Amino acid sequence: MESLTLTDVEQKYYSDLFVYCDTDNTKKVASNGKVLDLFRAAQLPSEVVLQITELCGATRLGHFGRSQFYIALKLIAVAQSGLPLRVESLNSVKDLPLPRFVVAKNEQEARHTAMYPDLENQGPYQGVIPRPPGRGQVKKVSAHEVIQPCVPTVEPQPDTTSPVVSPHQSPPTSPHAWRKHKRQASGGNVERPPVVVAGAVWTPFREVQSGPVVVGDGMWSAHSPPPVQESWVSLKDTYPPSSSKMPPMHLSPVQVENSSIRTVASITTANEIQRQSSSGYDDPWKITDEQRQYYINQFKTIQPDLNGFIPGSAAKEFFTKSKLPILELSHIWELSDFDKDGALTLDEFCAAFHLVVARKNGYDLPEKLPESLMPKLIDLDDSAEVPDQAPDVGYSGSPVEVTPNKSPMPSLNQTWPDLNQGNEQWETFSERSSSSQTLTQFDSNIAPADPDTAIVHPVPIRMTPSKIHMQEMELKRTGSDHTHPTSPLMAKPPELSEETKLATSMKILMFFTKGDGYSSSDSYTSDQDPITSVVTRQRSNSGTSPEGLKVAAAPPPPPPRPNASHSRSSSLDMNRNFAAHPTGPQQSGVVACPPAIPPRPLPTQTSGPHSGHRSDEGLAAHSTTSPQQIPEQPNFADFSQFQAFAASDQPSDDGEKHPESLPVRAGPLRTVKIDNQEERAAATVNSAKGSIMAPPPKPVRRRLKSEDELQDEALPPKSNVIATVLATLPSIPRSVGKDKKAIQASIRRNKETNTVLARLNSELQQQLKDLLEERISLEVQLEQLRPFSHL
Amino acid sequence: MAVCIAVIAKENYPLFIRSVPVQNELKFHYTVHTSLDVVEEKISAVGKAMADQRELYLGLLYPTEDYKVYGYVTNSKVKFVIVVDSSNTSLRDNEIRSMFRKLHNSFTDVMCNPFYNPGDTIQSKAFDSIVSAMMVQAS
């Protein structure tokens, strides 16, 4: 044997290889099987291998000792570089590249996948992905691949036609030791598939031997095959099981000396790769510009409008062509239909496509949509911006954990020089498969109604109606129309659900109420409908939405309750009053709500002279009607007040006739309020004030007598009694702003009048019964007297 | 926390059944099957009223000494049945309703998937995860 002089690099390399082959751990002899496998991996013709073994003396020895092994390796390098095999060439050839070995399948699987850097995952992935492998045509897929980060250790598989689909196909070539390998020793099984895929992809790549070696950021522009090959040559390496121990350093010098193109690039890419790999697992899911462009083109074939949707059926047809099992396509759909609307936007479509490609290449589908595929994340292409996507995504909080941050990773801009070639592949969706499958005809009744819309009914919550009613009427009177409709509503702020939309719906509700004012309170429910429908559209998969909607549909205030107790009794009088004074803004207001007027005068007495006018009328109505119904039971404690009221009533009667004396009336009213006694005195004494008041009692009495002859004379006192009851209203301090007290007082008064009127009613009913009986008896008598005529 | 959750199609065959104590699965299948009668009865009880007026949540279908069965029907006559342990007294009606609501929501998502043919058994992972979240934690 010739002595073999090896460079340091070679020395290391060979020793590692020897260790690799030294399965028996003899440290002296490499097992034949391993060695032969290795030699076979060198991809040299078998006769060359035989020659080599013979030359190195192994055949002579029968085994591979270290020296033989080294010699053999050197000879392999010689053979691979195309030089004739000769013993003397061992030492004569300078700058011999290291022998390349394509790791065989078995060896590959023996390798720990941890050795594979994440980067390779990304690499192959990204390389692979754009290849929606013509759905099954792996071969072409190749090229770009990959290699991503300079791991051109694409050792072509002996079986170059391995289909891509199978995830368990022969493992890819062994990547040689990178620094990264060490770091990612804990890669785990997850990386296996991508590596496998990479391998499959790489095989054709090797055949093609074209395309750039993509390196991290550094894009290697189209490279001619030779340099690429060279890079392979240099980087190729067997993958020793203990590659983690293999010092990566020895490779870098090799690289450096081999490919000038790669040197700098390789280092940078190595760094790049490390950075990227450290970013995490999701990088493989990143969509490159080119891929995205392709997806966009595909999207356009289905839906020309980039901002539009692809309906589910069309998408189903499209993706069925990929020949993935329906279950997987279903899962992909679940992942990518972000807003669960049964249609795909551009972003969703790209994500779905990406997942399909990944699956086709053997990558297992994730359980959750990867960050980089989420629709509202990065969109490298501005053209693919889908504005309506954002609001949907923004609203749907719960179902998918959306990470708003864009991937910090630098986008791997990979250009695929073999784009044209790839494109051809991309278009080769097998059409025939879909033809046999007809679109699923959904049962018309299967589409479930949106449960939220079915459940949601705006539930109006009754607030204390009368009080609110009074308040609102009062406020309206005082001209604060813009506040009152909202005040009762604001009093009960609806519980806001987590959906922000509800807040806007509330605002909408407010707007509606504002605009309409109280007069349209009846239409509140109708206003609710658009609001609830708007909100229900935001069915953001939140189960609480129906509840929220229920609450959000803020109960409108109940429609204005006509004050029934007074309407009947006062309608006639009110009409008379109105007829007498058709002018006046307050009157018009009063006219607008005749039935509601009666109670109003009571509280509005505190608000001002204007209201005082109305109140006078109201009071007049009260006084005029109540006397009619005053029962003959003067057992009211408030009788004394009635008298005072009667006194004040009189001015109101005058007021009807003298509209110009408004302030005068207000005067008497005020005085009435201040001092009931004065009123009474005025009524009786007929003083200056009383002069105004005195006549009124008379008309009151006159009215009484004229209207009801059956009534006793006691009625006038009763009327006075009731009038005084009503007169207690003015006794309330008229401090403006004490609406609440006024309301309470008015409530009290109303209650009192209610009781009074109820008694009146019962007594009148009794009288009516009596009269009817009399009538019946009279008729009977008449009948008895009549028979003579009949006969 | 349910012991068994089932989704029955309009034609009364199961689209999805899952129970937690796997060994008693057959018993739960039988229970769900018998509860369908009660569901039908409750549906037909509405009579002249339109389906929309009928509430989707049917409430307690029938109790046994071991467990209680609750029902829920969608407008397309797909029934959801939840079986809960009787000993679990802390479950209130509102919770059952919310469980049904979640089921209905995720069922709707499954339906929206164009790759799902109505009438197929439900194999969606998302649906499975929602159901698992509602089931009693496996002892």
Short mmCIF file of all heavy atoms in Angstrom, two decimals, chain A residues 621-639:
data_model
loop_
_atom_site.label_atom_id
_atom_site.label_comp_id
_atom_site.label_asym_id
_atom_site.label_seq_id
_atom_site.Cartn_x
_atom_site.Cartn_y
_atom_site.Cartn_z
N ALA A 621 -110.68 71.07 34.45
CA ALA A 621 -111.33 69.83 34.04
C ALA A 621 -111.61 68.97 35.25
O ALA A 621 -112.69 68.44 35.40
CB ALA A 621 -110.42 69.10 33.07
N HIS A 622 -110.59 68.89 36.06
CA HIS A 622 -110.80 68.08 37.25
C HIS A 622 -111.97 68.57 38.04
O HIS A 622 -112.86 67.84 38.44
CB HIS A 622 -109.56 68.14 38.12
CG HIS A 622 -108.53 67.19 37.65
ND1 HIS A 622 -108.74 65.87 37.63
CD2 HIS A 622 -107.30 67.42 37.19
CE1 HIS A 622 -107.66 65.27 37.16
NE2 HIS A 622 -106.76 66.19 36.87
N SER A 623 -111.88 69.85 38.23
CA SER A 623 -112.90 70.38 39.12
C SER A 623 -114.28 70.25 38.50
O SER A 623 -115.24 69.98 39.18
CB SER A 623 -112.61 71.84 39.45
OG SER A 623 -112.59 72.58 38.23
N THR A 624 -114.31 70.43 37.20
CA THR A 624 -115.63 70.37 36.59
C THR A 624 -116.14 68.94 36.57
O THR A 624 -117.32 68.70 36.77
CB THR A 624 -115.60 70.90 35.16
OG1 THR A 624 -114.52 70.25 34.48
CG2 THR A 624 -115.36 72.41 35.18
N THR A 625 -115.28 68.05 36.32
CA THR A 625 -115.80 66.69 36.21
C THR A 625 -116.02 66.07 37.57
O THR A 625 -116.99 65.39 37.81
CB THR A 625 -114.82 65.81 35.44
OG1 THR A 625 -113.55 65.89 36.08
CG2 THR A 625 -114.70 66.32 34.01
N SER A 626 -115.04 66.35 38.41
CA SER A 626 -115.17 65.66 39.69
C SER A 626 -116.43 66.06 40.43
O SER A 626 -117.07 65.22 41.03
CB SER A 626 -113.92 65.88 40.53
OG SER A 626 -113.60 67.25 40.57
N PRO A 627 -116.73 67.31 40.35
CA PRO A 627 -117.98 67.65 41.09
C PRO A 627 -119.16 66.79 40.63
O PRO A 627 -120.02 66.44 41.41
CB PRO A 627 -118.21 69.11 40.79
CG PRO A 627 -116.88 69.64 40.40
CD PRO A 627 -116.12 68.51 39.82
N GLN A 628 -119.19 66.50 39.38
CA GLN A 628 -120.32 65.73 38.90
C GLN A 628 -120.38 64.39 39.59
O GLN A 628 -121.44 63.83 39.79
CB GLN A 628 -120.20 65.52 37.39
CG GLN A 628 -120.22 66.81 36.62
CD GLN A 628 -119.87 66.56 35.17
OE1 GLN A 628 -119.79 65.41 34.76
NE2 GLN A 628 -119.68 67.62 34.42
N GLN A 629 -119.20 63.90 39.86
CA GLN A 629 -119.21 62.54 40.38
C GLN A 629 -119.01 62.49 41.87
O GLN A 629 -118.80 61.45 42.43
CB GLN A 629 -118.10 61.76 39.69
CG GLN A 629 -118.28 61.74 38.19
CD GLN A 629 -116.99 61.38 37.52
OE1 GLN A 629 -116.03 61.10 38.19
NE2 GLN A 629 -116.99 61.41 36.19
N ILE A 630 -119.00 63.60 42.44
CA ILE A 630 -118.76 63.56 43.88
C ILE A 630 -119.88 62.82 44.55
O ILE A 630 -121.06 63.15 44.41
CB ILE A 630 -118.67 64.99 44.43
CG1 ILE A 630 -117.36 65.64 43.94
CG2 ILE A 630 -118.70 64.97 45.94
CD1 ILE A 630 -117.24 67.07 44.35
N PRO A 631 -119.54 61.83 45.25
CA PRO A 631 -120.59 61.09 45.98
C PRO A 631 -121.05 61.91 47.18
O PRO A 631 -120.45 62.89 47.56
CB PRO A 631 -119.88 59.82 46.39
CG PRO A 631 -118.45 60.19 46.49
CD PRO A 631 -118.23 61.29 45.50
N GLU A 632 -122.05 61.40 47.74
CA GLU A 632 -122.58 62.15 48.87
C GLU A 632 -121.93 61.71 50.15
O GLU A 632 -122.57 61.56 51.17
CB GLU A 632 -124.08 61.93 48.94
CG GLU A 632 -124.77 62.40 47.67
CD GLU A 632 -126.25 62.20 47.76
OE1 GLU A 632 -126.90 62.96 48.47
OE2 GLU A 632 -126.74 61.22 47.14
N GLN A 633 -120.69 61.47 50.07
CA GLN A 633 -120.00 61.03 51.26
C GLN A 633 -118.83 61.94 51.53
O GLN A 633 -117.72 61.71 51.10
CB GLN A 633 -119.49 59.61 51.08
CG GLN A 633 -120.60 58.62 50.85
CD GLN A 633 -120.04 57.28 50.46
OE1 GLN A 633 -118.84 57.11 50.41
NE2 GLN A 633 -120.95 56.37 50.17
N PRO A 634 -119.11 62.94 52.17
CA PRO A 634 -118.05 63.91 52.44
C PRO A 634 -117.12 63.42 53.55
O PRO A 634 -116.94 64.09 54.55
CB PRO A 634 -118.82 65.15 52.85
CG PRO A 634 -120.06 64.62 53.47
CD PRO A 634 -120.39 63.33 52.77
N ASN A 635 -116.58 62.28 53.35
CA ASN A 635 -115.71 61.76 54.41
C ASN A 635 -114.24 61.89 54.04
O ASN A 635 -113.41 61.10 54.43
CB ASN A 635 -116.02 60.29 54.64
CG ASN A 635 -117.37 60.12 55.27
OD1 ASN A 635 -117.87 61.03 55.90
ND2 ASN A 635 -117.98 58.96 55.06
N PHE A 636 -113.99 62.89 53.33
CA PHE A 636 -112.60 63.03 52.93
C PHE A 636 -111.89 63.94 53.87
O PHE A 636 -112.43 64.94 54.32
CB PHE A 636 -112.51 63.61 51.52
CG PHE A 636 -113.11 62.70 50.52
CD1 PHE A 636 -114.27 63.08 49.88
CD2 PHE A 636 -112.56 61.47 50.26
CE1 PHE A 636 -114.83 62.23 48.95
CE2 PHE A 636 -113.13 60.64 49.34
CZ PHE A 636 -114.26 61.01 48.68
N ALA A 637 -110.70 63.56 54.11
CA ALA A 637 -109.93 64.40 55.01
C ALA A 637 -109.47 65.66 54.32
O ALA A 637 -109.03 66.60 54.94
CB ALA A 637 -108.74 63.63 55.54
N ASP A 638 -109.53 65.63 53.03
CA ASP A 638 -108.95 66.74 52.30
C ASP A 638 -109.98 67.77 51.89
O ASP A 638 -109.73 68.57 51.01
CB ASP A 638 -108.25 66.21 51.05
CG ASP A 638 -107.14 65.27 51.42
OD1 ASP A 638 -106.56 65.46 52.49
OD2 ASP A 638 -106.89 64.33 50.66
N PHE A 639 -111.07 67.65 52.47
CA PHE A 639 -112.13 68.54 52.02
C PHE A 639 -111.74 69.99 52.16
O PHE A 639 -112.09 70.82 51.34
CB PHE A 639 -113.39 68.30 52.83
CG PHE A 639 -114.06 67.02 52.43
CD1 PHE A 639 -115.21 66.61 53.08
CD2 PHE A 639 -113.53 66.25 51.41
CE1 PHE A 639 -115.82 65.45 52.70
CE2 PHE A 639 -114.15 65.07 51.05
CZ PHE A 639 -115.31 64.68 51.70
#
